[in-house]
């Protein structure tokens, strides 16, 4: 497969706003992806193993032109001697998610935009192709990643893009205010400085994280007086967090015998398999409880709940049918908390994703049902 064929296949599979299609056609993804990328290897215990272009060029190219996130750095640039790693620390985002976030940004030629998280530089190049390279500022916290992205942007003809090595949580006040801001790193709490660096009536688009269930793509519109921004939840997305808000991957065994063995009639699909419900539970519980599903057959499996801070855990096993086996251990009864949050969701009228509002002010962030918080 050639890069041209790969790009053609990818574009035929994507839904792209007509205003953005020329940029996707003229800014090929493979120009920005490093020659070594990583893939999850379950046979190696869940390690991330390297895929090198020099060794498997066709496989590398097919992966780059799939509608998947491509892992471009592990363990903050310090993989093991064999090249493998445990933690993804930089990536090229999934193209369909990139296309949706750019569409939602409502960007017009000539607008000034700040990108939080340069990564490979591909997203910055797409922005530059649309609004002009001189109107794009992108900030990256990892020096190694930033230097490479700068070189790739130069090679692709986007020399006028401003690249900054710094903490995107702080934005970039020297270039503010911006018409638009887009984050390619997830935020559990949206930094208030992003509001202050976006023009009144402007917009910023942020993938919002929660360890139980990510909110997904949230689009914020800045009020006319600039005092607040109101955000609505859009499509699903999972991004690695800002370094200042990053949550390490939960690894290893549960670590203790269960304190409680009981049963429930509440099938996990009702609270884990429905995005609206899972999002509501995550908001209700706050950040910190990690949820993971381990399928056993096509229809059964085990849901794990963990709280690393307290060492508490719970499992719900559907293999035996209803009522489902529940095991819990630690200071917190995580399944009890999830069940209570699910009942709260029912009592609140079963709010859907569109019913939630995320409000950002200089004082911080609030998430609630209905109109934005005052």
């Amino acid at each position: 497969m050639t890069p041209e064929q790969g790009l053609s296949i990818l574009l035929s599979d994507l839904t792209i706003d007509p205003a953005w299609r020329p940029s996707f056609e003229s800014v090929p993804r493979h120009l920005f992806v490093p020659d070594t990328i990583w893939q999850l290897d379950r046979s190696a215990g869940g390690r991330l193993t390297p895929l090198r272009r020099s060794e498997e060029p066709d496989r590398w190219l097919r992966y780059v032109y799939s509608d998947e996130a491509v892992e471009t750095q592990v363990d903050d640039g310090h993989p093991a001697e064999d090249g493998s790693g445990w933690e993804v620390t930089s990536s090229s985002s999934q193209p369909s998610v990139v296309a949706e976030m750019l569409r939602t940004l409502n960007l017009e030629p000539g607008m000034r935009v700040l990108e939080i998280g340069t990564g490979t530089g591909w997203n910055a190049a797409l922005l530059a192709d649309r609004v002009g390279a001189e109107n794009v500022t992108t900030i990256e916290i990892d020096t190694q990643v930033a230097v490479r992205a700068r070189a790739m942007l130069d090679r692709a003809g986007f020399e006028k893009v401003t690249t900054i090595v710094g903490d995107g949580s702080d934005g970039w006040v020297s270039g503010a205010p911006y018409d638009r801001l887009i984050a390619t790193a997830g935020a559990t709490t949206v930094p208030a400085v992003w509001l202050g660096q976006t023009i009144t009536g402007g917009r910023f688009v942020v993938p919002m994280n929660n360890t139980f269930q990510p909110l997904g793509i949230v689009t914020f519109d800045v009020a006319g007086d600039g005092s607040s921004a109101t955000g609505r939840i859009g499509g699903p997305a999972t991004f690695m967090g800002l370094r200042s808000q990053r949550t390490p991957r939960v690894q290893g065994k549960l670590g203790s015998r269960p304190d409680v063995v009981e049963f429930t009639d509440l099938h996990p699909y009702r609270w884990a398999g429905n995005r609206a419900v899972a999002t509501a539970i995550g908001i209700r519980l706050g950040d910190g409880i990690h949820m993971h599903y381990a399928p056993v057959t096509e229809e059964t499996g085990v849901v794990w709940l963990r709280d690393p801070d307290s060492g508490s855990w719970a499992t719900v096993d559907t293999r035996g049918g209803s009522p489902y086996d529940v095991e819990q251990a630690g200071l917190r009864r995580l399944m009890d908390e999830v069940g209570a949050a699910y009942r709260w969701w029912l009592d609140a009228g079963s709010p859907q994703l569109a019913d939630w509002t995320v409000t950002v002010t200089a004082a911080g962030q609030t998430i609630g049902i209905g109109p934005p918080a005052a």
Side-chain angles (χ1 to χ4, degrees):
M1 183 173 70
T2 66
E4 293 75 18
Q5 290 171 329
L7 178 61
S8 177
I9 292 170
L10 177 62
L11 294 181
S12 68
D13 291 340
L14 297 183
T15 299
I16 302 175
D17 187 291
W20 282 98
R21 181 164 285 275
S23 297
F24 277 83
E25 292 174 343
S26 61
V27 185
R29 192 186 193 196
H30 76 277
L31 295 181
F32 295 87
V33 175
D35 288 344
T36 298
I37 57 181
W38 282 263
Q39 292 182 301
L40 181 66
D41 187 349
R42 298 190 185 280
S43 66
R47 289 186 70 81
L48 295 154
T49 55
L51 169 56
R52 297 181 176 88
R53 187 178 189 178
S54 60
E55 298 173 355
E56 300 181 80
D58 190 65
R59 184 178 165 214
W60 180 91
L61 192 61
R62 289 182 184 279
Y63 192 35
V64 168
Y65 278 113
S66 66
D67 186 27
E68 301 286 347
V70 174
E71 323 302 5
T72 56
Q73 187 196 68
V74 296
D75 300 341
D76 293 324
H78 302 288
E81 289 186 11
D82 64 358
S84 66
W86 283 111
E87 191 90 19
V88 178
T89 50
S90 191
S91 68
S92 178
S93 303
Q94 183 177 356
S96 57
V97 175
V98 170
E100 176 61 14
M101 291 180 68
L102 292 177
R103 181 195 68 79
T104 305
L105 197 60
N106 196 24
L107 197 61
E108 297 292 340
M111 284 185 172
R112 301 182 65 253
V113 58
L114 174 64
E115 179 192 37
I116 307 297
T118 310
T120 65
W122 181 52
N123 198 69
L126 292 169
L127 291 166
D129 189 75
R130 176 87 173 121
V131 302
E134 68 279 4
N135 294 314
V136 177
T137 300
T138 181
I139 185 166
E140 170 61 51
I141 196 169
D142 188 296
T143 301
Q144 176 185 340
V145 172
V147 168
R148 186 187 180 282
R150 174 73 270 170
M152 297 303 100
L153 286 164
D154 290 345
R155 191 170 74 175
F158 298 104
E159 299 91 344
K160 293 185 178 180
V161 169
T162 300
T163 57
I164 305 296
V165 178
D167 188 347
S169 297
D170 299 327
W172 185 247
V173 69
S174 296
Y178 305 93
D179 298 290
R180 300 288 188 267
L181 181 150
I182 184 170
T184 61
T188 304
T189 302
V190 175
V193 295
W194 294 357
L195 167 65
Q197 293 179 19
T198 307
I199 66 168
T200 57
R203 172 172 287 191
F204 49 95
V205 176
V206 183
M208 292 195 65
N209 287 345
N210 179 286
T211 55
F212 187 85
Q213 171 68 41
L215 275 69
I217 301 169
V218 180
T219 302
F220 294 87
D221 289 309
V222 180
D225 62 1
S227 65
S228 65
T230 302
R232 297 290 186 179
I233 299 174
T238 303
F239 280 67
M240 67 192 71
L242 294 162
R243 292 284 175 95
S244 60
Q245 300 182 20
R246 189 164 69 181
T247 303
R249 188 175 69 145
V250 177
Q251 302 181 55
K253 298 180 180 180
L254 295 179
S256 63
R257 289 183 174 276
D259 300 329
V260 176
V261 178
E262 51 195 355
F263 304 94
T264 181
D265 292 323
L266 185 61
H267 193 288
Y269 183 79
R270 292 162 63 187
W271 50 268
N274 181 309
R275 184 181 168 216
V277 182
T279 298
I281 292 174
I283 293 171
R284 181 72 173 174
L285 297 178
D287 201 52
I289 296 179
H290 296 250
M291 177 174 63
H292 172 69
Y293 178 65
V296 178
T297 69
E298 289 186 2
E299 298 180 351
T300 67
V302 180
V303 176
W304 292 10
L305 303 171
R306 295 187 181 184
D307 171 29
D309 289 343
S310 69
S312 304
W313 61 266
T315 61
V316 183
D317 190 337
T318 66
R319 288 175 291 182
S322 180
Y324 310 105
D325 293 345
V326 175
E327 294 185 350
Q328 302 192 79
L331 297 174
R332 300 176 64 179
R333 295 291 180 256
L334 300 184
M335 185 55 203
D336 294 353
E337 294 183 33
V338 168
Y342 175 73
R343 291 188 294 274
W344 170 87
W345 177 79
L346 292 174
D347 293 342
S350 304
Q352 300 301 298
L353 295 170
D355 296 322
W356 291 94
T357 301
V358 186
T359 304
V360 177
T361 68
Q365 170 184 295
T366 57
I367 306 177
I369 301 169

